[in-house]
Amino acid sequence: MFVIFGAAGNVGRVSAAALRRAGREVRAVVRHARQGDALAEIGCEIAIADLLDPASVAQAIEGAYAVQILCPLPHADADPATAMRRMIDVSANALRANPPQRVLALSDYGAEHPSGTGITTLFHLLETQLAPIDSQLTFLRAAEHMHNWARVLPIALARGVLPSLHHPLSKLFPTVAAEDVGLLAAELLLDDRPAKVSPRVVSIEGETRVSPFDVARTLGALAHRQITAYEVPRGEWAAMLHGAGLSENHARLITDLYDAHNAGRIDVETEISERRYGATALESVFASILARAAETSAVNADAR
């Protein structure tokens, strides 16, 4: 049994589908029953679990051959870092108590740093907590997800300005499509060759690094309008993030992360990482986001 946590998310659903296509039994772990409908249709067993609830996590991994673990940042929590640390503790304790043969943890570029990287510091904690588990362990470190730009695309389309915390706007940074992360995760879980080292560290990013200028040009070409990249001044970050509804604690995690990005600390750890590259281009991801947004608008219009 292959157990996929976060199976309704952008990465997890791709991993679950790939494993089903390979003929494997998959237990798709979701938080709410309605999230499991599409996964059940492709033959997944559905498990409901809350990563803050030790009993439900322990039940979800029962009988697993392999587990793909994801501890997401709980955006709605007033103190998301504390909540994510609790998720990590619960997950690691469950896996230590009942270790499957294989564990793959979804992690981030920069996770080798113990401090000073905002959200990514939490992925360092995840890797540290999982390291003692008696399993064949893989850390799949992904570059920034292309889909993250979806948060500011409505602003860019409405105003013709794409706000960026990446400084300077000409700087190239690694990014990757969630679909490519999910496909590689499934491939690594299916790789039954004995690991040379454990934990095995694998990195993934897109074939081409991009700058905020590139992001703005790509969006503008798809939307058939001029989009200009805008370097949000460092002193305005907190106010902008608070205005977007983020708590003070959440905003601090974001600002610390982009300070680290802009200082060059968030990148692949070349000395130990096996490097992989995703084939999905930024244009493809943005086209999909825009298509879904158009479908949603059409549905809402019909409902009025």
Side-chain angles (χ1 to χ4, degrees), residues 11 105-111 120 123 127 139-146 148 174-178 180-182 184 201-206 261 266-268 273 276:
V11 173
L106 297 172
S107 187
D108 263 11
Y109 271 27
T120 300
F123 288 95
E127 293 189 6
F139 297 142
L140 177 52
R141 294 180 182 168
E144 179 178 307
H145 285 200
M146 296 174 183
N148 289 353
T175 186
V176 69
D180 291 334
V181 180
L184 177 56
V201 179
V202 182
S203 68
I204 181 169
E205 63 181 84
H261 254 300
I266 305 296
D267 211 325
V268 62
S273 182
R276 305 291 183 91

Side-chain angles (χ1 to χ4, degrees), residues 217-300:
R217 280 194 292 266
T218 299
L219 179 60
L222 290 169
H224 306 291
R225 64 161 301 176
Q226 180 70 32
I227 304 289
T228 302
Y230 170 63
E231 184 177 296
V232 181
R234 176 62 178 83
E236 297 177 10
W237 288 7
M240 183 188 76
L241 294 168
H242 293 155
L246 275 64
S247 68
E248 181 177 350
N249 290 321
H250 191 175
R252 188 178 303 113
L253 290 173
I254 297 291
T255 56
D256 287 351
L257 171 63
Y258 280 92
D259 280 339
H261 254 300
N262 296 336
R265 299 185 69 211
I266 305 296
D267 211 325
V268 62
E269 190 179 11
T270 55
E271 294 81 3
I272 66 169
S273 182
E274 302 174 33
R275 302 192 68 177
R276 305 291 183 91
Y277 298 90
T280 306
L282 188 65
E283 293 90 338
S284 177
V285 173
F286 279 10
S288 177
I289 293 170
L290 294 175
R292 286 197 297 271
E295 290 173 5
T296 300
S297 296
V299 169
N300 292 340

Side-chain angles (χ1 to χ4, degrees), residues 11-300:
V11 173
R13 61 181 171 79
V14 173
S15 297
L19 291 167
R20 288 297 299 140
R21 289 194 298 271
R24 300 305 198 270
E25 293 184 347
V26 174
R27 181 179 298 145
V29 184
V30 296
R31 187 165 184 179
H32 303 289
R34 65 180 180 276
Q35 296 175 319
D37 293 345
L39 294 157
E41 288 178 2
I42 63 171
C44 293
E45 174 188 322
I46 306 301
I48 312 299
D50 181 344
L51 286 172
L52 294 172
D53 175 33
S56 66
V57 173
Q59 185 173 4
I61 68 171
E62 188 64 37
Y65 162 75
V67 172
Q68 180 169 308
I69 190 70
L70 166 68
C71 289
L73 188 76
H75 300 289
D77 198 286
D79 189 356
T82 297
M84 185 169 165
R85 290 187 191 100
R86 288 171 55 204
M87 290 181 183
I88 292 169
D89 287 342
V90 168
S91 300
N93 288 339
L95 291 166
R96 278 195 293 266
N98 186 15
Q101 187 166 328
R102 308 174 70 87
V103 173
L104 182 142
L106 297 172
S107 187
D108 263 11
Y109 271 27
E112 69 273 17
H113 300 299
S115 62
T117 58
I119 293 171
T120 300
T121 302
L122 297 166
F123 288 95
H124 176 83
L125 175 64
L126 174 66
E127 293 189 6
T128 301
Q129 290 281 67
L130 294 180
I133 293 172
D134 188 20
S135 300
Q136 187 169 316
L137 181 61
T138 300
F139 297 142
L140 177 52
R141 294 180 182 168
E144 179 178 307
H145 285 200
M146 296 174 183
H147 195 272
N148 289 353
W149 288 96
R151 303 164 188 165
V152 296
L153 293 195
I155 298 173
L157 294 172
R159 304 177 185 173
V161 175
L162 179 80
S164 174
L165 304 186
H166 282 287
H167 294 180
L169 295 177
S170 59
K171 182 181 179 180
L172 300 176
F173 62 91
T175 186
V176 69
E179 176 183 1
D180 291 334
V181 180
L183 289 172
L184 177 56
E187 176 189 325
L188 294 171
L189 286 172
L190 290 168
D191 182 0
D192 56 6
R193 293 173 298 177
K196 296 179 181 178
V197 295
S198 185
R200 178 185 185 185
V201 179
V202 182
S203 68
I204 181 169
E205 63 181 84
E207 293 179 340
T208 304
R209 294 194 168 193
V210 300
S211 71
F213 285 137
D214 297 323
V215 175
R217 280 194 292 266
T218 299
L219 179 60
L222 290 169
H224 306 291
R225 64 161 301 176
Q226 180 70 32
I227 304 289
T228 302
Y230 170 63
E231 184 177 296
V232 181
R234 176 62 178 83
E236 297 177 10
W237 288 7
M240 183 188 76
L241 294 168
H242 293 155
L246 275 64
S247 68
E248 181 177 350
N249 290 321
H250 191 175
R252 188 178 303 113
L253 290 173
I254 297 291
T255 56
D256 287 351
L257 171 63
Y258 280 92
D259 280 339
H261 254 300
N262 296 336
R265 299 185 69 211
I266 305 296
D267 211 325
V268 62
E269 190 179 11
T270 55
E271 294 81 3
I272 66 169
S273 182
E274 302 174 33
R275 302 192 68 177
R276 305 291 183 91
Y277 298 90
T280 306
L282 188 65
E283 293 90 338
S284 177
V285 173
F286 279 10
S288 177
I289 293 170
L290 294 175
R292 286 197 297 271
E295 290 173 5
T296 300
S297 296
V299 169
N300 292 340

